[in-house]
Amino acid sequence: DSGVTQTPKHLITATGQRVTLRCSPRSGDLSVYWYQQSLDQGLQFLIQYYNGEERAKGNILERFSAQQFPDLHSELNLSSLELGDSALYFCASSLALVGTDTQYFGPGTRLTVL
Amino acid sequence: QKEVEQDPGPLSVPEGAIVSLNCTYSNSAFQYFMWYRQYSRKGPELLMYTYSSGNKEDGRFTAQVDKSSKYISLFIRDSQPSDSATYLCAMTSYGKLTFGQGTILTVHP
């Protein structure tokens, strides 16, 4: 158990809908990262937050947004969902800001868009 | 061309075999190199971490980095059925982790 929690575990929704994925980092970790894992694209970095502020952006679509709250939990919002958004979404956390710090991954949320 | 290339396998070996997993990369800015292991229906977990060229050993695992050739490897000695998982190489520059596609490894008894 990495100490990172994600809810829900599974999510099934329809095209055009909006969903919110939630992540609680390990106790004491200030950085939260979001990743998308699909069969064709592999594990792709989406976005990083550090202590409430956006710090790095990867291949995140404009339809996706995230935020980190004062209690350090984070939410990833996915809107106008398309079939191609079906994937595993992972959250990871680390103590510090830099990418060299060990990232601990949560169990993931499996999103299915029908 | 992807920044990090990794043969997806699948790779199937008998118990006790030496396993070699490899990645190549194109971005010279990558400074730190990692190997993650991902079991089915789980998140990736960090196995090995290194930042310099050369070898780093941890039990049955050895990570090798050759920055001049832009090539990294993970060797697993005396492989066990419990090593069956997907192995992902990862590299970081300026705070962003870039992963390889992952290699699916099966170790059969």
Side-chain angles (χ1 to χ4, degrees):
Chain A
D1 184 357
S2 66
V4 178
T5 59
Q6 289 186 249
T7 56
K9 281 189 178 179
H10 303 279
L11 201 47
I12 301 174
T13 188
T15 54
Q17 295 297 305
R18 173 190 168 95
V19 297
T20 298
L21 313 183
R22 184 189 166 101
C23 167
S24 291
R26 290 188 327 150
S27 177
D29 283 358
L30 299 177
S31 268
V32 168
Y33 310 78
W34 285 98
Y35 292 87
Q36 179 193 58
Q37 188 175 40
S38 60
L39 280 174
D40 55 340
Q41 294 292 324
L43 194 58
Q44 301 246 320
F45 167 70
L46 295 178
I47 197 164
Q48 178 200 3
Y49 277 81
Y50 175 78
N51 205 18
E53 290 189 12
E54 182 185 306
R55 284 297 184 162
K57 251 184 175 177
N59 302 321
I60 188 165
L61 299 171
E62 283 193 15
R63 300 183 285 109
F64 296 0
S65 64
Q67 56 185 137
Q68 186 179 28
F69 295 87
D71 67 352
L72 301 177
H73 90 270
S74 178
E75 292 181 356
L76 179 67
N77 300 295
L78 316 175
S79 61
S80 303
L81 285 167
E82 302 175 358
L83 295 177
D85 297 327
S86 296
L88 264 171
Y89 291 84
F90 287 104
C91 165
S93 75
S94 70
L95 178 61
L97 176 61
V98 293
T100 53
D101 207 28
T102 300
Q103 293 184 28
Y104 296 87
F105 282 76
T109 292
R110 183 173 293 279
L111 173 67
T112 303
V113 182
L114 301 175
Chain B
Q1 185 193 1
K2 291 186 177 179
E3 282 187 293
V4 180
E5 298 279 358
Q6 183 178 5
D7 186 343
L11 193 58
S12 181
V13 301
E15 184 175 353
I18 296 175
V19 176
S20 171
L21 305 167
N22 310 295
C23 287
T24 58
Y25 63 96
S26 57
N27 187 348
S28 299
F30 287 135
Q31 302 162 303
Y32 299 88
F33 305 89
M34 301 145 194
W35 285 95
Y36 281 80
R37 178 175 60 195
Q38 185 176 18
Y39 290 114
S40 181
R41 303 184 200 285
K42 301 278 188 184
E45 56 176 333
L46 183 65
L47 263 183
M48 301 280 290
Y49 169 116
T50 184
Y51 60 89
S52 58
S53 284
N55 294 351
K56 182 177 179 180
E57 200 171 305
D58 183 2
R60 296 184 295 110
F61 299 89
T62 300
Q64 190 176 77
V65 174
D66 182 346
K67 286 188 176 181
S68 62
S69 302
K70 296 192 179 69
Y71 188 89
I72 71 169
S73 299
L74 178 71
F75 299 96
I76 307 174
R77 288 184 300 281
D78 186 26
S79 56
Q80 303 295 308
S82 58
D83 294 329
S84 298
T86 298
Y87 290 81
L88 301 120
C89 62
M91 309 175 189
T92 185
S93 75
Y94 307 110
K96 182 185 146 188
L97 257 188
T98 301
F99 284 86
Q101 277 288 102
T103 300
I104 301 170
L105 171 67
T106 302
V107 182
H108 50 87

